């Protein structure tokens, strides 16, 4: 189990660690006026997704599967079922939506260098990146909260009952 946890933490570091950099450098790219610098930055973001984010996702799935197969009783926990379901959505969004958008933005930024400016398509995909990225970040945070707090139905019932009680008002 220790190997599984270790690999899971390494995968989490690769995946979640690359998100902050992506947000930072994507915002920086919007502020730059030199098209060549934007193209280099966008190419770097594309490489970061391919060589940090995607391997991190893969390592998270492999190590998570390893831990669940080793301790099948873990699947009885509802929090883990929710975590897995949301993780599937994060993976789909990351691999099939965000990764192609980031690659497209890198290609359009390179094209802008030759064209002398960004196309409308570049800015459209930039908005798509923000929307899909925000959704993914929210889901990732939900997964992390589920893993850290492992909430149960009893946890939520207690919270609701406490807030409805006359003493809480």
């Amino acid at each position: 189990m220790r190997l599984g946890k270790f690999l899971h933490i390494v995968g989490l570091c690769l995946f979640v660690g690359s998100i902050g950099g992506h947000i930072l450098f994507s915002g920086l790219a919007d502020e730059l006026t030199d098209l060549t610098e934007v193209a280099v930055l966008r190419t770097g973001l594309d490489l970061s997704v391919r060589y940090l984010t995607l391997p991190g996702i893969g390592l998270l799935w492999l190590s998570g599967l390893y831990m669940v197969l080793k301790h099948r009783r873990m699947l009885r926990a509802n929090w883990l079922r929710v975590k897995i379901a949301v993780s599937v959505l994060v993976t789909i969004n990351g691999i099939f939506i965000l990764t192609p958008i980031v690659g497209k933005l890198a290609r359009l930024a390179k094209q802008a260098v030759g064209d002398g400016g960004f196309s409308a398509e570049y800015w459209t995909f930039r908005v798509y990146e923000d929307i899909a990225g925000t959704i993914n970040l929210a889901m990732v945070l939900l997964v992390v909260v589920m893993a850290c707090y492992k909430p149960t139905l009893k946890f939520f019932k207690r919270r609701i009952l406490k807030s409805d009680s006359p003493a809480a008002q």
Side-chain angles (χ1 to χ4, degrees):
M1 185 72 148
R2 286 186 180 163
L3 175 64
K5 282 185 180 181
F6 172 76
L7 293 174
H8 212 66
I9 290 170
V10 170
L12 188 65
C13 289
L14 284 169
F15 175 54
V16 176
S18 67
I19 293 173
H22 192 96
I23 292 168
L24 176 74
F25 289 119
S26 188
L28 178 61
D30 290 346
E31 301 300 319
L32 294 174
T33 54
D34 184 328
L35 297 176
T36 303
E37 289 177 356
V38 175
V40 168
L41 198 54
R42 281 280 163 199
T43 300
L45 286 169
D46 187 34
L47 292 171
S48 172
V49 166
R50 294 180 191 286
Y51 297 109
L52 294 174
T53 308
L54 294 179
I57 290 172
L59 192 53
L60 281 167
W61 277 107
L62 290 173
S63 59
L65 182 62
Y66 168 78
M67 289 187 289
V68 167
L69 289 175
K70 194 167 182 177
H71 301 280
R72 292 183 193 271
R73 67 184 180 280
M74 291 171 58
L75 284 175
R76 291 186 199 141
N78 286 330
W79 69 266
L80 184 59
R81 292 178 186 175
V82 171
K83 180 183 175 238
I84 291 169
V86 177
S87 295
V88 167
L89 296 175
V90 167
T91 302
I92 291 169
N93 189 22
I95 292 173
F96 298 108
I97 298 172
L98 275 168
T99 298
I101 288 173
V102 171
K104 179 79 169 182
L105 283 168
R107 288 187 299 280
L108 290 171
K110 289 175 190 171
Q111 181 182 334
V113 173
D115 295 347
F118 294 112
S119 64
E121 185 180 21
Y122 175 88
W123 294 111
T124 300
F125 274 89
R126 183 63 190 88
V127 171
Y128 294 162
E129 179 189 40
D130 278 348
I131 293 168
T134 301
I135 291 168
N136 230 33
L137 180 59
M139 290 189 298
V140 166
L141 292 175
L142 176 60
V143 167
V144 171
V145 166
M146 296 301 287
C148 289
Y149 294 102
K150 299 173 179 62
T152 63
L153 190 55
K154 291 177 190 175
F155 170 83
F156 291 111
K157 283 182 182 177
R158 281 195 307 264
R159 293 282 184 203
I160 291 168
L161 292 176
K162 281 183 182 178
S163 65
D164 288 342
S165 70
Q169 298 174 353

